[in-house]
Amino acid sequence: MRQTIFILNGPNLNLLGQREPEIYGRDTLADVEARCAALAGGEEVRVVLRQTNHEGEMIDWIHEARHDAAGIVINPAAWTHTSVAVLDALNAYEGPVIEVHISNVHKREEFRHHSYVSARADGIVIGCGTQGYELAVSRMLRLIGREK
Ligand code: DQA
């Protein structure tokens, strides 16, 4: 059976590649999607990458994952540090969850050091640039039993 991994991205990540490139690099989310899709192989596992600037939409997608996704890779962006609602939605999801941060949040401002989502995450990839998404997908393939 074909499985789906959701790669969900929070606010401002639509500007990836343009926004603060000294912190987040020059790759776009389209680049990330192409590399993760190649890694997953497409035939047996497909990746669905989405980005939203609206917290309620993110929560709806996490609910959708309850039926449609074998695992969630999530970069909640600023909601990492603020959103009990995103944490609660992830707590209602039964599959594996990997949290990704492109930058090393622990080298940055104090308010970025706490993550609500980490209390739910099965794994966390921090500070590996956009390669962190591939590392997360690679781990997810192992967790869902689809490692190549
Ligand atoms: C981020 C780190 C967050 O603190 C920030 O609000 C982001 C991106 C990262 O990928 O490094 O928007 O999640």
Side-chain angles (χ1 to χ4, degrees), residues 9-13 16 19-20 23-24 75-81 99-105 108-109 111-113 125-127 129 133:
N9 292 276
N12 302 303
L13 287 168
L16 193 63
R19 162 203 188 205
E20 299 181 276
I23 297 175
Y24 298 111
N75 183 347
W79 296 325
T80 308
H81 319 298
E99 177 181 354
V100 173
H101 299 288
I102 298 163
S103 64
N104 181 355
V105 285
R108 301 179 64 193
E109 302 95 322
F111 65 84
R112 296 186 202 276
H113 297 183
V125 182
I126 292 178
Y133 288 91

Side-chain angles (χ1 to χ4, degrees), residues 1 16 26 31 38 41 53 64 66 71 80 91 104 110 112 131 140 144:
M1 200 189 69
L16 193 63
R26 292 270 175 207
D31 298 327
N53 294 323
E64 187 183 326
R66 286 159 53 83
T80 308
N91 279 334
N104 181 355
E110 185 103 30
R112 296 186 202 276
Q131 188 190 1
M140 187 60 78
I144 66 173

